[in-house]
Amino acid sequence: MNSVYLDNAATTPMLPEVVSVMQESMLANFGNPSSTHQYGRKAKAAVETARKNIAKHFNVSASEIIFTAGGTEADNLILQNAVMHLGVKRIITSKLEHHAVLNTVQFLEKKHKITVDYVRVNENGAVVLDSLGEALKKSNEKTLVSLMYVNNEIGNILPIEEVANMCKEHDAYFHSDTVQAIGHYPIDLQKTPVDFIAASAHKFHGPKGVGFAYVKKGIAIQPMFFGGEQEKGARSSTENVHAIIGMDKALHIAFENLIADETHIKELKNYFVKKVKELVPNAEINGEPADETSYTIVNVRFPVQDKMLLFNLDLSGVAVSGGSACQSGSNKGSHVLSAFLNVEEVQKASVRFSFSKLNTITEIDYVLNQLKKTLKL
């Protein structure tokens, strides 16, 4: 063994079954879904079948699913619509959100002069619900709350049902970036009153460049850019038929194997955490305790300030990251860790290890061995 991939929070390998259905579609289903002839109708039927299948997983209607190019576009579509078309004057969020949310909120604050309130987080980076309650009571302005379900860097899990009910009680819209949760956790949107969610196929072994937004029935969405009337006028541009079919397949596989995959991945994570603590006793877990965070992610803070740790692990064949892949070219460090750790702790080498059902115990042992060599233990 000379390489192991443990950066599944950044992206996951596509499953062979997904590649297969996409290849089949590319060869046999090339029509434009907006065309009225038989080739167009065939493509349109494939898109609508995928939409219905995806909607069933969340107990919603097909009309509530809007296909996008991924989670970032879905977040932007929702947040910008909230301010520009739904009368939202205030957004409540946290400093730990993905930049698809944070940067959009900052743009809306500057461009449209909305009020932005950031909820407090505790010493483990968890949202303080009392802080959210205080913020909701603070003003009668039309408000949207945007808090992610599973944090992409530290794996903290939001008590989404409790937050949803708090928002409903105060007549606030609730948007959750669920990119790291979809395909790993069941979400019944009839039981959990979320107004908007965002998803990205490549986080659950589907293709890159495709995702969806869920928009609760009765909320009118306007397009961010203009062209045709695709997606019922909410998202112009010819649908990415093959990728949508691949996403449908990947999500079907994920939900079909949800319990077995969770059991397997949880075993990998628990084993890894146990062995890391034995290997480096003074290493710390960033975020909530490892057994309370997402079973797919653990973020470890090592007692060194070795800025070359990630590079050296890469040279040894171990693919991991320091946080969001979207920030890999930045030298600013993790905004997530900076939101709840002091400067001295942020400067230590923190590594995000993220697992998938394709990983094995043998691979985990290899990573542990390379960590030992790299840290010169």
Side-chain angles (χ1 to χ4, degrees), residues 22-222:
M22 290 180 67
Q23 286 179 328
E24 181 181 339
S25 176
M26 288 176 185
L27 293 170
N29 199 7
F30 61 86
N32 187 320
S34 296
S35 299
T36 57
H37 50 60
Q38 60 179 307
Y39 299 98
R41 294 196 303 273
K42 182 181 178 183
K44 182 69 171 177
V47 168
E48 294 311 315
T49 296
R51 195 190 311 276
K52 290 175 184 176
N53 292 341
I54 290 169
K56 286 178 184 177
H57 293 303
F58 306 99
N59 196 17
V60 299
S61 66
S63 63
E64 295 171 290
I65 301 296
I66 299 170
F67 291 128
T68 66
T72 294
E73 185 191 343
D75 285 332
N76 270 264
L77 179 67
I78 291 160
L79 293 169
Q80 292 195 44
N81 261 275
V83 171
M84 296 169 65
H85 304 294
L86 300 178
V88 166
K89 302 296 182 184
R90 182 175 66 132
I91 292 178
I92 300 173
T93 188
S94 83
K95 295 284 189 179
L96 284 76
E97 302 304 302
H98 191 282
H99 278 99
V101 169
L102 284 180
N103 289 348
T104 306
V105 168
Q106 289 167 9
F107 162 78
L108 293 168
E109 180 181 27
K110 183 178 180 180
K111 180 75 172 179
H112 296 280
K113 312 302 180 187
I114 63 167
T115 300
V116 178
D117 290 327
Y118 295 95
V119 297
R120 296 192 306 277
V121 297
N122 67 17
E123 66 278 4
N124 292 327
V127 170
V128 177
L129 293 186
D130 285 347
S131 175
L132 173 60
E134 291 164 8
L136 285 166
K137 295 173 184 175
K138 180 178 170 182
S139 169
N140 290 323
E141 288 185 312
K142 191 61 181 177
T143 298
L144 176 136
V145 173
S146 181
L147 295 170
M148 68 201 315
Y149 189 1
V150 174
N151 187 274
N152 60 303
E153 291 196 22
I154 57 177
N156 281 1
I157 302 173
L158 183 78
I160 193 167
E161 289 193 22
E162 193 170 350
V163 171
N165 287 322
M166 290 174 70
C167 293
K168 187 176 182 180
E169 181 183 344
H170 290 87
D171 196 29
Y173 287 120
F174 178 32
H175 159 250
S176 186
D177 180 333
T178 55
V179 165
Q180 292 293 340
I182 298 295
H184 305 296
Y185 293 93
I187 305 174
D188 187 331
L189 292 169
Q190 296 303 315
K191 294 181 180 179
T192 305
V194 182
D195 297 295
F196 312 98
I197 69 170
S200 194
H202 72 105
K203 305 297 187 179
F204 48 85
H205 301 285
K208 296 174 184 65
V210 67
F212 64 86
Y214 158 77
V215 178
K216 192 173 184 178
K217 189 177 293 184
I219 300 175
I221 289 292
Q222 302 297 318

Side-chain angles (χ1 to χ4, degrees), residues 15 87 95 115 154 170 178 229 265 268 275 281 302 318 322 325 344 346:
L15 297 175
K95 295 284 189 179
T115 300
I154 57 177
H170 290 87
T178 55
E229 293 295 315
I265 299 169
L268 296 179
K275 292 297 183 180
F302 294 98
V318 177
E344 182 180 348
V346 170

Side-chain angles (χ1 to χ4, degrees), residues 11-13 58 82 96-97 201 246 257 273 289-290 315 372 374:
T11 195
T12 51
F58 306 99
L96 284 76
E97 302 304 302
N257 299 281
V273 171
L315 288 180
K372 184 176 182 179
T374 304

Side-chain angles (χ1 to χ4, degrees), residues 128-373:
V128 177
L129 293 186
D130 285 347
S131 175
L132 173 60
E134 291 164 8
L136 285 166
K137 295 173 184 175
K138 180 178 170 182
S139 169
N140 290 323
E141 288 185 312
K142 191 61 181 177
T143 298
L144 176 136
V145 173
S146 181
L147 295 170
M148 68 201 315
Y149 189 1
V150 174
N151 187 274
N152 60 303
E153 291 196 22
I154 57 177
N156 281 1
I157 302 173
L158 183 78
I160 193 167
E161 289 193 22
E162 193 170 350
V163 171
N165 287 322
M166 290 174 70
C167 293
K168 187 176 182 180
E169 181 183 344
H170 290 87
D171 196 29
Y173 287 120
F174 178 32
H175 159 250
S176 186
D177 180 333
T178 55
V179 165
Q180 292 293 340
I182 298 295
H184 305 296
Y185 293 93
I187 305 174
D188 187 331
L189 292 169
Q190 296 303 315
K191 294 181 180 179
T192 305
V194 182
D195 297 295
F196 312 98
I197 69 170
S200 194
H202 72 105
K203 305 297 187 179
F204 48 85
H205 301 285
K208 296 174 184 65
V210 67
F212 64 86
Y214 158 77
V215 178
K216 192 173 184 178
K217 189 177 293 184
I219 300 175
I221 289 292
Q222 302 297 318
M224 285 195 306
F225 43 87
F226 301 95
E229 293 295 315
Q230 292 89 353
E231 296 303 292
K232 297 181 175 64
R235 201 267 185 181
S236 298
S237 184
T238 300
E239 291 91 348
N240 190 347
V241 178
H242 318 306
I244 288 169
I245 289 171
M247 176 167 61
D248 175 23
K249 183 67 172 181
L251 199 57
H252 171 75
I253 293 171
F255 278 104
E256 192 174 46
N257 299 281
L258 207 60
I259 296 174
D261 290 346
E262 178 178 355
T263 300
H264 172 68
I265 299 169
K266 196 174 285 186
E267 287 176 356
L268 296 179
K269 177 182 173 178
N270 291 343
Y271 177 78
F272 176 79
V273 171
K274 177 176 179 288
K275 292 297 183 180
V276 164
K277 287 181 176 178
E278 292 174 0
L279 192 65
V280 193
N282 51 349
E284 300 285 344
I285 301 298
N286 290 318
E288 295 280 77
D291 59 351
E292 297 178 19
T293 56
S294 171
Y295 61 88
T296 60
I297 298 171
V298 65
N299 194 308
V300 183
R301 186 168 75 255
F302 294 98
V304 296
Q305 292 190 4
D306 184 1
K307 295 182 178 179
M308 297 295 288
L309 180 57
L310 290 175
F311 178 74
N312 289 328
L313 284 172
D314 183 38
L315 288 180
S316 71
V318 177
V320 289
S321 72
S324 173
C326 306
Q327 290 297 106
S328 61
S330 170
N331 59 5
K332 296 178 182 178
S334 167
H335 72 284
V336 171
L337 299 183
S338 296
F340 65 94
L341 293 178
N342 62 43
V343 174
E344 182 180 348
E345 295 302 311
V346 170
Q347 288 176 344
K348 292 180 180 178
S350 287
V351 181
R352 180 185 68 181
F353 301 87
S354 47
F355 314 90
S356 88
K357 64 181 182 180
L358 301 179
N359 292 124
T360 65
I361 288 289
T362 302
E363 290 181 327
I364 301 302
D365 283 332
Y366 177 83
V367 172
L368 290 163
N369 188 45
Q370 296 310 314
L371 262 176
K372 184 176 182 179
K373 290 179 180 178

